[in-house]
Amino acid sequence: MEILDRRLHAFRPDLADETLKGSVEAANFVRGEPARIAVPVAQLRPGPDLARGIDTELLFGETVRVFDRAGGFAWVQADQDRYVGYLPETMLGSPEEPTHRIAVQRTFLYPEPELRKPPTATLSMGSRITVVGDVETRGTRYFVLSTGEAVIARHCLPVAETMGDDYVAVAEKFIETPYLWGGRSGFGLDCSALVQLSLMMVGKSAPRDSDMQVSIGSAITREELRRGDLVFWKGHVGIMENEQTLLHANGHTMSVAREGFEEAVKRIGWLYEQPTGYRRLG
């Protein structure tokens, strides 16, 4: 029987996704019920324990399938990239059909259409919201949600629109954002999340982790590198800003940083050796 990646397939000895019948052994198979993320950022873990490390994060309004609820935790699979893990079930809400996405690195959610009011939350780029109306206050246009809360309209894009076709320009907006292992938001993110989130905002999908991303696009040589190409090391990925400069979320600066490519190769080499591959996205 094929060994499946637990990050992308929901299976345990007692319970599994019904689509995995015949591929895994489990006492019970379930379809999973739909839900959405109801907090600004939900950290997904490999087990139902807040002391466990973070695998990834899900953003406000993203949808999941819930396979199990027990002990205050929900076992879910993200619809966006199929990642599987555990999160507190209080972070989940009923599904809504999103109308817009946040298209700036971070923005505030206000209790009403008034920027002088203390915000109720801060949302990351990529968060999905359902707009039910719009209001203008002193020349500032707000989108209003079903809760009555409001967000700056110019910080949003309809879900069917993208931030153009240059995902590197999106990645550049995250420069100096803190590095966070497993992070996937404008508050903190890791190397592969920078790639995934930037591509998502221009309408392209990518797997979550760098070892999954090594298969996207087509292989090229080091000499062919140009803007938008990906450079992989064992456990790390960076984006070429141009032929000489690399953008990457890294533990050296503990941020998303711009670094000379040759300098980065030399610096990273002592820990991760030389790059393992170069890819160009279609």
Side-chain angles (χ1 to χ4, degrees), residues 109-269:
L109 191 62
Y110 297 96
E112 60 184 82
E114 172 53 73
L115 59 81
R116 295 175 181 174
K117 295 288 185 179
T120 58
T122 310
L123 301 180
S124 166
M125 181 185 290
S127 299
R128 292 156 171 75
I129 59 173
T130 303
V131 174
V132 299
D134 63 276
V135 173
E136 188 172 303
T137 305
R138 295 189 307 279
T140 300
R141 185 173 173 233
Y142 298 82
F143 283 148
V144 180
L145 312 188
S146 61
T147 58
E149 294 169 300
V151 64
I152 302 297
R154 66 184 298 177
H155 290 176
C156 309
L157 274 179
V159 290
E161 296 184 15
T162 70
M163 294 177 65
D165 56 10
D166 182 5
Y167 90 98
V168 183
V170 180
E172 289 168 338
K173 295 180 183 295
F174 289 98
I175 288 177
E176 296 190 2
T177 300
Y179 176 86
L180 176 65
W181 180 274
R184 185 178 163 266
S185 80
F187 311 114
L189 71 177
D190 61 23
C191 63
S192 53
L194 178 65
V195 173
Q196 186 194 52
L197 187 55
S198 300
L199 283 169
M200 183 179 77
M201 296 308 296
V202 299
K204 298 180 179 180
S205 61
R208 174 60 180 90
D209 294 335
S210 61
D211 67 317
M212 304 173 186
Q213 294 173 353
V214 294
S215 62
I216 63 177
S218 56
I220 58 172
T221 66
R222 181 166 174 165
E223 292 70 32
E224 294 176 287
L225 287 172
R226 69 185 188 198
R227 183 177 177 87
D229 293 337
L230 298 178
V231 181
F232 291 91
W233 287 261
K234 184 179 180 181
H236 188 58
V237 61
I239 303 166
M240 294 302 295
E241 185 177 30
N242 52 49
E243 289 83 353
Q244 292 84 35
T245 308
L246 185 76
L247 293 176
H248 59 151
N250 67 92
H252 176 67
T253 63
M254 287 303 294
S255 66
V256 176
R258 175 184 286 117
E259 188 172 5
F261 173 65
E262 296 299 337
E263 290 79 2
V265 170
K266 292 177 182 177
R267 181 184 59 76
I268 295 171

Side-chain angles (χ1 to χ4, degrees), residues 55-103:
D55 274 343
T56 188
E57 293 179 326
L58 305 181
L59 304 176
F60 184 88
E62 289 191 315
T63 56
V64 299
R65 279 188 301 152
V66 182
F67 297 108
D68 189 28
R69 296 174 187 258
F73 283 86
W75 185 42
V76 307
Q77 182 171 37
D79 291 328
Q80 176 70 31
D81 59 15
R82 316 305 297 167
Y83 221 101
V84 175
Y86 294 82
L87 48 73
E89 61 177 325
T90 54
M91 293 182 171
L92 297 175
S94 300
E96 290 184 348
E97 189 65 32
T99 61
H100 292 74
R101 284 189 297 177
I102 303 302

